[in-house]
Amino acid sequence: MPARKYRIARSRTGLGLYAIQPYRKREYVATYRGRKIANAEADRLEARGSRYMFEINSRWTIDGSSRQNTARYVNHSCRPNVEAIERKGGIIVYVARRRIKPDEEITVDYGKDYFEAFITKSRCQCPKCRERRAERQSKYRAKVKRALMRKKSMRSAHASLAPSRRPSQSVRQRAKCGAKPGARPAGWNQSSSRHCPAIFRRTHFVRAIAGGPGRRT
């Protein structure tokens, strides 16, 4: 049996298999070991939480739950560097799909059924999925920023087009006289200024000096 060129170490999803020496393309990596069981029994074990069932065909499955099966530590990736190949006798081996560098994690594609049942796109930790999620979050943040900028510019445009709310001169004069805006005091006359004592006194004083009509003694 070829010497092991990998080690078990911590990864993003728990334990993983890492190369300690380079692998050539199509080179043997590991064998998926375990007892061969019927698919019906494998379904019952999966319902109890087992996650190391490797289905060979429509009848048989390899139960790789034993820790002696070091291939169970090969994690999933959407861009794997090894692939599973069935050999004579229902033996499953992993071989390199490309050159694998030292300290690179060894990964395989678990298949669509397993991915949708246990992993899903939102929890996949492979570089491809993490890159896709980061790109999607970046686009979302940029979209929110653009929406906020549009909202801010619309507020500024509305503020510049809105009429001035500064009180008119008559309102300011009445406020100075102590009258409430909109209130009509007793003796108010639209054609005169007698509703405001200050304006009345000023008008009366001017008329008194000029000696014109309307002088009061």
Side-chain angles (χ1 to χ4, degrees):
M1 179 179 294
R4 292 183 179 180
K5 300 169 63 175
Y6 55 80
R7 61 185 176 87
I8 300 173
R10 286 288 175 184
S11 67
R12 289 181 175 272
T13 56
L15 294 176
L17 224 61
Y18 290 83
I20 56 178
Q21 297 180 23
Y23 282 92
R24 300 185 309 274
K25 184 177 180 179
R26 310 307 298 173
E27 184 178 353
Y28 166 86
V29 177
T31 301
Y32 202 90
R33 304 180 183 280
R35 63 191 183 99
K36 189 183 295 185
I37 59 177
N39 288 347
E41 184 180 354
D43 293 339
R44 288 193 295 269
L45 292 175
E46 283 187 344
R48 297 175 186 174
S50 181
R51 296 293 181 267
Y52 301 102
M53 301 295 149
F54 197 112
E55 185 175 330
I56 304 173
N57 50 43
S58 58
R59 293 185 58 190
W60 302 104
T61 296
I62 297 176
D63 179 8
S65 302
S66 173
R67 293 188 180 274
Q68 295 180 355
N69 175 33
T70 54
R72 60 174 274 182
Y73 298 109
V74 177
N75 291 318
H76 167 81
S77 176
C78 298
R79 291 178 180 172
N81 50 24
V82 303
E83 61 181 343
I85 295 179
E86 182 181 358
R87 290 183 175 174
K88 188 176 180 180
I91 299 174
I92 303 298
V93 297
Y94 289 156
V95 297
R97 298 182 61 192
R98 57 172 175 80
R99 292 184 68 255
I100 302 176
K101 301 177 182 179
D103 296 327
E104 184 178 353
E105 185 177 4
I106 299 171
T107 56
V108 70
D109 187 354
Y110 282 5
K112 182 179 180 180
D113 294 339
Y114 189 98
F115 183 85
E116 294 179 350
F118 302 112
I119 301 176
T120 71
K121 291 182 179 180
S122 61
R123 295 189 300 171
C124 183
Q125 296 298 320
C126 74
K128 179 181 178 181
C129 289
R130 287 189 286 112
E131 181 181 346
R132 186 188 298 115
R133 285 195 296 268
E135 183 179 357
R136 186 163 56 246
Q137 291 174 359
S138 177
K139 289 182 178 179
Y140 175 76
R141 287 193 295 266
K143 182 178 179 181
V144 171
K145 186 177 180 180
R146 288 194 300 269
L148 292 176
M149 293 296 292
R150 284 197 301 268
K151 189 175 182 180
K152 185 176 180 181
S153 62
M154 290 175 62
R155 286 182 177 177
S156 301
H158 289 166
S160 61
L161 295 176
S164 175
R165 295 190 177 184
R166 184 179 181 184
S168 62
Q169 184 177 1
S170 61
V171 175
R172 292 198 302 271
Q173 288 175 348
R174 295 189 63 189
K176 183 177 180 182
C177 298
K180 295 182 180 180
R184 296 184 177 183
W188 178 82
N189 188 354
Q190 187 176 3
S191 60
S192 67
S193 302
R194 295 181 180 180
H195 62 280
C196 182
I199 298 176
F200 171 76
R201 286 195 300 270
R202 183 166 63 253
T203 306
H204 175 71
F205 178 74
V206 171
R207 289 179 177 176
I209 294 179
R215 181 180 178 182
R216 297 186 181 186
T217 57

